[in-house]
């Protein structure tokens, strides 16, 4: 299948833990994080507002945060091998993230992985980080600032495979042909009776796609 596109979330999917959450707690204000995270879980706050407010209290220089993440962030086993398999088979691999280029690119470089990347950007100001949004403000399907618009760019491909773990992956997963899910995304799909394949690492995903 030469026109297969594999769309992969980053935070909590490529990485073992959610990088955005960890940085917002470690370098920001844990009370603000908990307040807005509860608002997201309870349906009171949209994801765009949640991420914006989580990073307003972060004042650590970007270089310091990048050094910290390179020392502490681990990726799920098999990701590099999945990308290599995709290259061999002629599949397109795209990371689509609600996170930031400035935090994702150093980890991909550390791992020696080159893939297409769609993500937001951040202005790491001394008076608080500002999110520079790269996605439309609202999706016609879910009403959120959503990844679905990027996934729909691949609609002409034979198969769109989506791999994700959380809230920001819901709408994009629903627009895909085949879904691998874990954690919150898996629970969401279970509740709606939407078919998916559960994963713990990219080794099993590569075996299934191969």
């Amino acid at each position: 299948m030469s026109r297969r596109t594999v769309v992969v979330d980053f935070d909590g999917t490529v990485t073992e833990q959610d990088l955005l959450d960890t940085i917002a707690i470690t370098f920001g204000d844990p009370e603000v994080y908990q307040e807005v995270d509860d608002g997201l879980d309870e349906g009171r706050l949209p994801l765009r507002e949640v991420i914006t407010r989580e990073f307003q209290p972060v004042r650590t220089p970007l270089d310091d945060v990048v050094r910290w993440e390179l020392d502490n962030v681990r990726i799920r086993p098999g990701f590099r091998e999945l990308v290599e398999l995709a290259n061999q088979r002629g599949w397109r691999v795209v990371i689509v993230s609600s996170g930031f280029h400035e935090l994702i690119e150093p980890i991909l470089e550390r791992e020696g992985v080159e893939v297409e990347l769609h993500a937001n950007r951040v202005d790491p100001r001394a008076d608080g980080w500002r999110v520079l949004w790269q996605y439309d403000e609202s999706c016609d399907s879910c009403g959120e600032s959503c990844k679905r618009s990027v996934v729909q760019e691949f609609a002409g491909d034979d198969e769109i495979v989506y791999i994700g773990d959380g809230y920001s992956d819901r709408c994009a997963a629903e627009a895909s042909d085949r879904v691998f899910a874990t954690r919150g995304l898996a629970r969401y799909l279970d509740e709606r009776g939407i078919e998916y394949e559960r994963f713990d690492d990219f080794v099993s995903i590569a075996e299934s796609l191969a």
Side-chain angles (χ1 to χ4, degrees):
M1 186 172 292
S2 61
R3 297 190 65 189
R4 167 183 275 169
T5 296
V6 182
V7 182
V8 192
D9 171 58
F10 188 77
D11 293 281
T13 300
V14 173
T15 60
E16 292 185 345
Q17 302 298 323
D18 192 303
L19 179 59
L20 283 185
D21 288 352
T22 303
I23 289 177
I25 294 169
T26 304
F27 298 98
D29 186 328
E31 291 185 2
V32 170
Y33 168 83
Q34 193 61 58
E35 176 188 348
V36 298
D37 195 54
D38 289 344
L40 182 67
D41 291 341
E42 295 165 7
R44 294 184 287 103
L45 297 175
L47 182 64
R48 189 178 181 119
E49 180 178 348
V50 169
I51 295 177
T52 297
R53 289 175 58 183
E54 282 177 350
F55 281 87
Q56 285 174 344
V58 178
R59 294 174 172 82
T60 306
L62 176 62
D63 288 347
D64 292 347
V65 175
V66 169
R67 278 194 291 270
W68 175 88
E69 70 171 7
L70 291 176
D71 287 339
N72 292 278
V73 172
R74 302 195 314 181
I75 67 169
R76 288 183 189 267
F79 178 64
R80 185 188 300 107
E81 289 76 9
L82 174 63
V83 174
E84 291 172 353
L85 173 66
N87 290 337
Q88 293 168 6
R89 299 292 179 90
W91 307 336
R92 184 179 187 178
V93 178
V94 185
I95 290 177
V96 181
S97 173
S98 294
F100 312 135
H101 276 265
E102 292 81 1
L103 297 178
I104 297 171
E105 289 170 356
I107 294 176
L108 295 178
E109 183 177 354
R110 183 194 69 184
E111 298 298 324
V113 176
E114 293 186 13
V115 294
E116 184 178 341
L117 172 61
H118 294 261
N120 295 311
R121 292 193 176 273
V122 68
D123 178 7
R125 292 164 44 168
D127 62 345
W129 286 19
R130 301 294 189 269
V131 182
L132 306 176
W133 292 93
Q134 305 299 304
Y135 301 114
D136 293 339
E137 189 165 346
S138 63
C139 166
D140 291 339
S141 296
C142 69
E144 295 253 23
S145 183
C146 175
K147 304 176 186 177
R148 189 183 187 111
S149 60
V150 178
V151 172
Q152 288 177 329
E153 294 178 11
F154 315 127
D157 290 0
D158 295 329
E159 183 182 48
I160 300 172
V161 178
Y162 195 90
I163 307 170
D165 79 305
Y167 184 94
S168 69
D169 303 306
R170 294 176 178 182
C171 193
E174 290 176 337
S176 301
D177 300 306
R178 185 174 178 184
V179 178
F180 292 86
T182 189
R183 296 175 177 162
L185 178 60
R187 292 191 295 273
Y188 173 85
L189 298 175
D190 281 335
E191 291 168 359
R192 283 152 183 78
I194 299 173
E195 184 177 351
Y196 69 94
E197 298 169 62
R198 190 176 294 273
F199 76 95
D200 293 313
D201 56 42
F202 288 97
V203 176
S204 60
I205 294 175
E207 291 173 351
S208 182
L209 291 178

